[in-house]
Amino acid sequence: MSTDASAADSTPERPVHLDSEADLDAFLAAHGRVLVDFYTEGCTLCASIEPVVGNVARAHEDLAVATINPRDDPPLIERFEIKSAPTLLLFEDGAVVGRLASGFQGGDAIDAFLENPGGDERATDSA
């Protein structure tokens, strides 16, 4: 992880950049409620949502926020069924409870997703 804000006894006030699947697993184990932004380099939508995700991290004291590029550790793509970027996954106690994978989202849309992660089936997954 590229920051010292990963301590289990505190929730980071800004997104933590993770480098690998092992980093992600450790971050999920250290925090009860986690929003992860799966992004790719060169993705303009990903770059646009980055400051929004930062604002979300600062606004939610009970939420740890991380970013990770699944191309840096390809098993993440299959494990979390990442089909587009950006994809936001909400975890509670290490389990995925919500997915938002419909391109750029503003702060209000992400807040609504956090309040009701299963209520809006905007995921790009196919059954």
Side-chain angles (χ1 to χ4, degrees), residues 25-104:
D25 289 339
F27 193 78
L28 293 174
H31 303 285
R33 192 162 189 247
V34 177
L35 179 68
V36 180
D37 173 14
F38 290 84
Y39 73 94
T40 57
E41 293 294 327
C43 165
T44 57
L45 293 176
C46 300
S48 297
I49 204 170
E50 183 179 346
V52 176
V53 170
N55 290 337
V56 168
R58 285 185 289 282
H60 295 271
E61 294 179 7
D62 66 331
L63 181 71
V65 179
T67 63
I68 191 164
N69 183 344
R71 290 184 181 172
D72 290 342
D73 199 346
L76 289 168
I77 297 168
E78 185 174 330
R79 177 178 171 190
F80 295 109
E81 301 178 10
I82 304 301
K83 298 175 182 169
S84 63
T87 292
L88 302 177
L89 295 184
L90 180 63
F91 295 82
E92 291 183 2
D93 299 320
V96 176
V97 297
R99 171 184 302 265
L100 188 59
S102 53
F104 177 83

Side-chain angles (χ1 to χ4, degrees), residues 101-125:
S102 53
F104 177 83
Q105 299 294 316
D108 290 343
I110 294 173
D111 286 340
F113 166 68
L114 294 172
E115 289 297 318
N116 189 13
D120 186 358
E121 295 301 322
R122 291 186 272 181
T124 59
D125 294 345

Side-chain angles (χ1 to χ4, degrees), residues 4-24:
D4 61 352
S6 61
D9 61 345
S10 66
T11 301
E13 292 182 8
R14 59 183 175 203
V16 175
H17 177 76
L18 306 175
D19 297 314
S20 68
E21 185 173 19
D23 284 351
L24 176 58

